[in-house]
Amino acid sequence: MEWEVNSYYTLIAATLVLLLGKFLVQKIRFLRDFNIPEPVAGGLIAAIILFVLYQTHGVSFKFEKPLQDAFMLIFFSSIGLSADFSRLKAGGLPLVIFTVVVGAFIIVQDVIGVGLASVLGLDPLIGLITGSITLTGGHGTAGAWGPAFEKDYGLTGATALGMASATFGLVFGGLIGGPVARRLINRQGRKPVENAVKVDDQASASTDNVFEKAQQTRLITADSAVETLALFAACLVFGQIMDSVDAEYFPAFLNLPKFVWCLFGGVILRNILTAVFKMDMFDRAVDVFGNAALSLFLAMALLNLKLWELTGLAGPVTVILAVQTVVMIIYATFVTYVIMGRDYDAAVVSAGHCGFGLGATPTAVANMQSVTQTFGPSHKAFLIVPMVGAFFVDIINALILSGFVNFLK
C-alpha cells in the first residue's frame, strides 16, 4: 500500500524532520562530535521509521517532489545571487586548483566504477552509474542519464539503479564529511570555538557571511523579504526558460540541469544589478532564504529515501558503492586536503568535497556548516566550494562522462 503525501503535508513533515534533527544533535554528543548535519540526523531517523512501517505493514509513502525541487532551485539561485564578480576574483588560484582537484577525482571515480563493474561481471556502464553519474552528479544527473542508457544501450533498470545509488551517495556524503574534517582538524590541534558570536546588523550584511554562519541572527524586513523573493522568482523563470531552450536546441551540446541555469541566472542578475544599476543587494535576506531552502531540500530528499530499495541492490553494486565511499575518504584526506594547503581551510574544503563528491552541493554546504559552527569560520571554503560544486562540476562531469561513454561503446 502506497500513501501519497501532498506538498502541504510534505512541507510539514520536512519541518518536523528538521526539528527532530536539531533536537538529536543537541542531545547526542556523538552527532556533535562527528559534525553530522541536522537534516541528515533527523532524516535518517525518519527513513528508518518509514522502513519499519514498510517491512511490518507493507505501507510506503510517496512524498510529492515539486517542493523539494523548488527548494533545491532556490538554494542554487541563492548561490548565484551571492556570487558577485569581485568575490569570484577573490577566489583566485585556490578556485582554479580546487576545480582541477575535483575534475581529477571525477576521472578516478569513473575508472574505479568501470573497473570494478568489469571485474565483477557487470556491464561497464553500470560502473558509470555507480560512479560520477550518481555520486558526483546526484539525482538530477542520474535522472538524465538513466533513460538514455535504457533507450540507447538497453541497460534495463538504469534509472532505478541511478536513483538508489544517488540516494546512497547523498546519505554517506553527509555522514563522512564531518568526521573526515574533524580528524584533519584534530591533527592541527585546533580547539572548538564559542558558538555564540555577537554581531551587529552592519556586520551581518557582509556577503562573506552567506551560508557560512547559518545560525547567525540577520535583521531583515518585510520589504526586503519581498524584494528577495522577486529575485528568486526571476532566477527560477530564467532557469525554466533556458532549460527548455537547452533541451530543444542544444540537447547534445549543453544539456545542463535546470539548477545550473538558475545559478547562472542568479550570477547574471546579481552582477547586472550591482554593476550597472548600482543596487545594494540585501545579502542577509538571500542568506536566510538560501539556508532555509538548503535544510528543507535535504529533509525532503531523506524523507523520500526508500531503504528497502537500497537493501535490494545487487551485492556487486553494493561493493562498488562501498569502495567509492572509502576512495572518497582517502582522496579527501590525502589529495584534497594536501593540495589545498594542509590548513584549517583545507580541512573544511575536504568536508565539502565529501559532500558533493558523493552526494550534492547542498550536502557539501551542510557538511561545512556543521564543521565551522564548532571550529570557527572558513571564508575560503565557503567562497570556492559552492561555486565549484554547483557551477563547474556539472560541466566537467558531463564532458568526462561523454568521453567514457564513447570509449566504452
Side-chain angles (χ1 to χ4, degrees):
M1 184 191 309
E2 183 176 74
W3 291 358
E4 292 192 8
V5 182
N6 65 30
S7 296
Y8 299 108
Y9 289 106
T10 298
L11 179 60
I12 293 172
T15 56
L16 292 176
V17 165
L18 292 178
L19 292 174
L20 173 62
K22 181 178 181 180
F23 174 80
L24 292 173
V25 171
Q26 288 177 343
K27 298 297 182 180
I28 301 177
R29 183 172 180 176
F30 170 82
L31 298 177
R32 295 196 304 274
D33 288 346
F34 286 91
N35 300 304
I36 304 303
E38 293 174 0
V40 173
L44 284 177
I45 296 299
I48 292 172
I49 293 173
L50 294 175
F51 175 75
V52 172
L53 288 175
Y54 179 81
Q55 293 293 91
T56 57
H57 296 89
V59 176
S60 64
F61 293 84
K62 181 180 180 182
F63 294 91
E64 287 190 356
K65 295 291 290 294
L67 271 183
Q68 177 183 327
D69 295 338
F71 284 124
M72 179 185 69
L73 297 179
I74 290 172
F75 168 70
F76 282 107
S77 298
S78 67
I79 294 178
L81 289 171
S82 304
D84 59 26
F85 288 146
S86 62
R87 297 186 73 224
L88 291 178
K89 291 179 182 177
L93 186 59
L95 182 68
V96 176
I97 293 174
F98 187 54
T99 302
V100 173
V101 168
V102 170
F105 179 69
I106 292 174
I107 296 175
V108 170
Q109 212 168 45
D110 286 334
V111 168
I112 290 174
V114 171
L116 286 176
S118 300
V119 169
L120 295 171
L122 303 176
D123 190 314
L125 290 177
I126 291 180
L128 294 181
I129 295 175
T130 52
S132 71
I133 286 179
T134 60
L135 301 182
T136 294
H139 289 82
T141 308
W145 284 90
F149 279 3
E150 291 173 348
K151 180 180 178 181
D152 299 335
Y153 304 112
L155 194 61
T156 304
T159 302
L161 176 60
M163 291 296 118
S165 299
T167 302
F168 177 98
L170 187 68
V171 172
F172 278 86
L175 289 175
I176 70 173
V180 166
R182 189 178 186 91
R183 181 169 176 267
L184 295 171
I185 293 169
N186 287 340
R187 288 183 188 175
Q188 303 168 10
R190 187 182 181 102
K191 302 299 182 182
V193 298
E194 195 66 35
N195 286 333
V197 180
K198 293 183 179 180
V199 295
D200 59 21
D201 185 50
Q202 184 65 29
S204 66
S206 170
T207 57
D208 290 337
N209 288 331
V210 176
F211 301 116
E212 189 171 354
K213 299 177 181 178
Q215 304 304 320
Q216 178 174 293
T217 300
R218 291 158 173 91
L219 304 181
I220 62 177
T221 64
D223 287 342
S224 64
V226 172
E227 291 171 3
T228 303
L229 286 174
L231 295 176
F232 281 119
C235 293
L236 297 184
V237 170
F238 179 84
Q240 180 68 40
I241 294 173
M242 293 306 300
D243 185 61
S244 300
V245 172
D246 185 8
E248 183 173 355
Y249 297 105
F250 309 106
F253 177 66
L254 289 176
N255 196 25
L256 296 177
K258 185 187 295 185
F259 67 81
V260 176
W261 288 117
C262 289
L263 189 150
F264 276 139
V267 172
I268 295 169
L269 184 59
R270 163 73 185 233
N271 289 280
I272 289 178
L273 291 177
T274 55
V276 178
F277 296 97
K278 308 301 179 182
M279 177 179 174
D280 184 16
M281 293 288 291
F282 206 87
D283 290 295
R284 285 167 289 170
V286 174
D287 187 0
V288 169
F289 284 117
N291 278 296
L294 163 66
S295 296
L296 288 167
F297 162 72
L298 289 175
M300 291 180 182
L302 289 167
L303 277 173
N304 279 303
L305 171 62
K306 293 179 171 55
L307 289 176
W308 55 91
E309 291 183 359
L310 293 180
T311 58
L313 288 174
V317 171
T318 305
V319 169
I320 296 174
L321 293 174
V323 171
Q324 294 281 26
T325 302
V326 173
V327 170
M328 180 74 260
I329 294 173
I330 295 173
Y331 193 93
T333 302
F334 296 104
V335 179
T336 305
Y337 175 68
V338 171
I339 294 179
M340 295 308 297
R342 296 176 181 264
D343 55 10
Y344 174 65
D345 289 322
V348 180
V349 169
S350 297
H353 193 189
C354 288
F356 74 75
L358 286 183
T361 304
T363 310
V365 175
N367 283 351
M368 294 191 298
Q369 286 176 345
S370 67
V371 175
T372 56
Q373 285 168 14
T374 302
F375 292 100
S378 173
H379 301 309
K380 179 180 177 181
F382 278 88
L383 179 65
I384 66 176
V385 170
M387 289 305 301
V388 174
F391 199 77
F392 297 116
V393 73
D394 283 291
I395 298 174
I396 298 171
N397 194 24
L399 295 173
I400 292 174
L401 283 171
S402 298
F404 267 93
V405 171
N406 291 333
F407 174 75
L408 294 174
K409 294 298 179 181

